């Protein structure tokens, strides 16, 4: 996982307990309502979330700033791109 410190989140999403594709769909919905450059912190427990969030940022203008795992909780910080 990334070694940088946690970015400031303008919004937080608690998506623990939801299975694919819900974490990505709800994150995309939140990003649509945000301004370019704002950051959302997303907590998820779906083990596929690592692949899904990396793929989302690889295929869109959004940026994965940081990710962490504590126990079964994965946290992703995404910045809305243009």
């Amino acid at each position: 996982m990334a070694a940088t410190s946690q970015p400031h989140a303008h919004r937080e999403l608690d998506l623990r307990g939801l299975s694919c594709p819900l974490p990505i769909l709800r994150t995309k919905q939140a990003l649509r309502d945000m301004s370019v450059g704002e950051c959302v912190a997303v907590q998820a427990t779906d083990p596929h979330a690592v692949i899904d969030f990396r793929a989302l940022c690889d295929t869109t203008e959004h940026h994965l700033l940081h990710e962490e795992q504590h126990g079964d909780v994965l946290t992703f910080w995404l910045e809305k791109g243009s």
Side-chain angles (χ1 to χ4, degrees):
M1 302 259 171
T4 60
S5 63
Q6 299 172 352
H8 167 72
H10 296 89
R11 185 166 181 187
E12 296 183 7
L13 295 177
D14 183 352
L15 304 178
R16 293 177 289 180
L18 299 179
S19 298
C20 183
L22 290 177
I24 287 294
L25 293 175
R26 295 217 177 145
T27 300
K28 284 181 175 180
Q29 184 178 34
L31 286 165
R32 276 194 296 272
D33 296 335
M34 296 172 66
S35 298
V36 172
E38 288 187 329
C39 178
V40 60
V42 181
Q43 290 185 321
T45 50
D46 181 355
H48 293 115
V50 172
I51 295 166
D52 294 340
F53 280 96
R54 288 177 183 172
L56 172 68
C57 292
D58 286 343
T59 59
T60 66
E61 69 278 4
H62 308 307
H63 307 283
L64 181 58
L65 300 177
H66 185 70
E67 59 184 82
E68 290 181 357
Q69 181 170 0
H70 296 283
D72 65 344
V73 178
L74 302 155
T75 306
F76 304 91
W77 285 263
L78 288 85
E79 179 183 71
K80 180 172 178 161
S82 54

